[in-house]
Amino acid sequence: MAALLYSALIGCSADASALPSASIVSTVGNQVVLPCSWKPPLGEVAPPDCHIVWSTLVDTVFERRGVVRWEADEFQGRLEVPEERLRSGNCSLIIRDVQIADTGSYESFMVVNGARSKKTRVSLQTVKLSVYDHKTYQSHHPGEDFVLQLYTQHSMSVVFQGRDSSVWTDVWLREEGNSERVVKHPLLQQLTMRKVQHTDEGVYKVLDENGLAVSTVQLTVEENPAPSRQFRTQENIPTDVAASSSGSALLILPLLVCSLQIVRLV
Ligand SMILES: *[C@@H]1O[C@H](CO)[C@@H](O)[C@H](O)[C@H]1NC(C)=O
């Protein structure tokens, strides 16, 4: 019995040749994997009480000992080290729906039970995680719908600054739900602003519960309503070509389709 226990404890000992430190970069809302591995002794199935700890410089964020797991409040429902993977030597930490505030340094440890219930923490891996916000541009014609991604359920509000304005106004608050013009998709983390107008032009910021920017979208509302296809085609003709073709409708189409070489032949 004692011998069994002893080998079990040895089984939990960490491999000294730990991985070098890693860097992981992501944008908000994605899943990331902070890599970590340890080596169970050859030919042995690691015991279920292997105790893995992931922590930041400040706090412990995740622990697993066999089937028992614990995670810090600020990561509620977002962390995992799958037990079966841990037993086969993979102590990688999965972080779902990664947030700006998750940015920082992480370190994994294997807690090893020594003689007389003395515990030692063996460092396995350090990982630097950087989480960035999204930055995009969108252009619409008046009357079109503007779809704004929220990226994560932790996005709490959207604020707007008009083109010639210096103030930020609320466009959407999660706690208040939909308004007449701004509607959240029932399942997806996205908003639709109906029928944009000129006055909607400007910068939209999606903010999380810490007030950090998850996303910044620059919206341009173009001067003229979308012209019809025919009208647009004519607009696209270079002026010199249009002039040399003397407005012949028969010539316009081939000129558009073919290269300038054909223009020279004509
Ligand atoms: C370790 O597990 C993570 C997820 O838990 C997975 O993404 C990764 O590919 C695994 N690594 C290896 C070497 O199997």
Side-chain angles (χ1 to χ4, degrees):
M1 187 63 185
L4 236 177
L5 188 63
Y6 181 67
S7 78
L9 294 175
I10 293 295
C12 246
S13 68
D15 180 22
S17 61
L19 286 172
S21 66
S23 274
I24 302 289
V25 176
S26 175
T27 45
V28 182
N30 294 322
Q31 175 175 302
V32 297
V33 175
L34 310 192
C36 170
S37 70
W38 65 284
K39 211 176 262 175
L42 285 173
E44 269 186 61
V45 177
D49 73 337
C50 279
H51 188 161
I52 184 81
V53 177
W54 274 95
S55 62
T56 60
L57 296 177
V58 198
D59 273 320
T60 297
V61 293
F62 182 89
E63 286 188 64
R64 176 182 280 289
R65 183 181 184 146
V67 292
V68 183
R69 61 188 291 291
W70 175 89
E71 68 191 351
D73 283 347
E74 62 267 37
F75 291 91
Q76 202 70 61
R78 297 195 290 122
L79 301 185
E80 194 52 89
V81 176
E83 194 209 347
E84 69 287 357
R85 287 205 171 130
L86 176 59
R87 272 190 277 133
S88 62
N90 186 342
C91 40
S92 301
L93 178 68
I94 301 171
I95 309 181
R96 281 183 284 268
D97 191 12
V98 80
Q99 301 297 306
I100 298 276
D102 297 345
T103 293
S105 293
Y106 294 75
E107 187 164 6
S108 60
F109 301 91
M110 187 64 82
V111 178
V112 183
N113 298 299
R116 285 178 230 105
S117 40
K118 199 178 148 221
K119 289 185 177 175
T120 39
R121 278 157 70 106
V122 179
S123 176
L124 295 177
Q125 175 79 54
T126 57
V127 183
K128 192 174 174 295
L129 173 66
S130 307
V131 184
Y132 294 103
D133 57 328
H134 299 259
K135 287 193 171 73
T136 52
Y137 292 88
Q138 280 197 46
S139 174
H140 289 289
H141 295 291
E144 289 178 351
D145 287 351
F146 164 43
V147 175
L148 187 65
Q149 297 300 328
L150 297 173
Y151 297 101
T152 164
Q153 59 179 358
H154 295 271
S155 293
M156 290 296 142
S157 64
V158 177
V159 293
F160 165 68
Q161 186 182 50
R163 219 170 55 146
D164 304 315
S165 172
S166 59
V167 292
W168 291 92
T169 53
D170 290 339
V171 169
W172 177 82
L173 297 170
R174 189 177 287 273
E175 59 190 18
E176 287 185 8
N178 295 335
S179 65
E180 214 169 285
R181 276 193 77 205
V182 182
V183 176
K184 187 187 165 292
H185 190 283
L187 300 171
L188 305 178
Q189 295 299 330
Q190 78 180 30
L191 300 179
T192 300
M193 178 183 270
R194 301 210 196 287
K195 298 195 168 78
V196 291
Q197 299 151 17
H198 252 290
T199 48
D200 297 323
E201 198 166 76
V203 178
Y204 293 78
K205 271 188 192 291
V206 178
L207 305 176
D208 68 10
E209 53 227 334
N210 299 311
L212 300 171
V214 165
S215 165
T216 303
V217 183
Q218 176 111 42
L219 174 70
T220 307
V221 179
E222 290 178 15
E223 286 285 339
N224 299 311
S228 73
R229 188 167 278 252
Q230 262 181 329
F231 182 61
R232 225 197 285 198
T233 301
Q234 285 193 354
E235 265 186 344
N236 287 346
I237 301 167
T239 43
D240 56 334
V241 174
S244 70
S245 69
S246 318
S248 163
L250 272 173
L251 278 171
I252 288 173
L253 195 59
L255 286 177
L256 276 176
V257 174
C258 305
S259 69
L260 276 170
Q261 239 177 330
I262 306 232
V263 176
R264 264 184 240 126
L265 283 174
V266 169

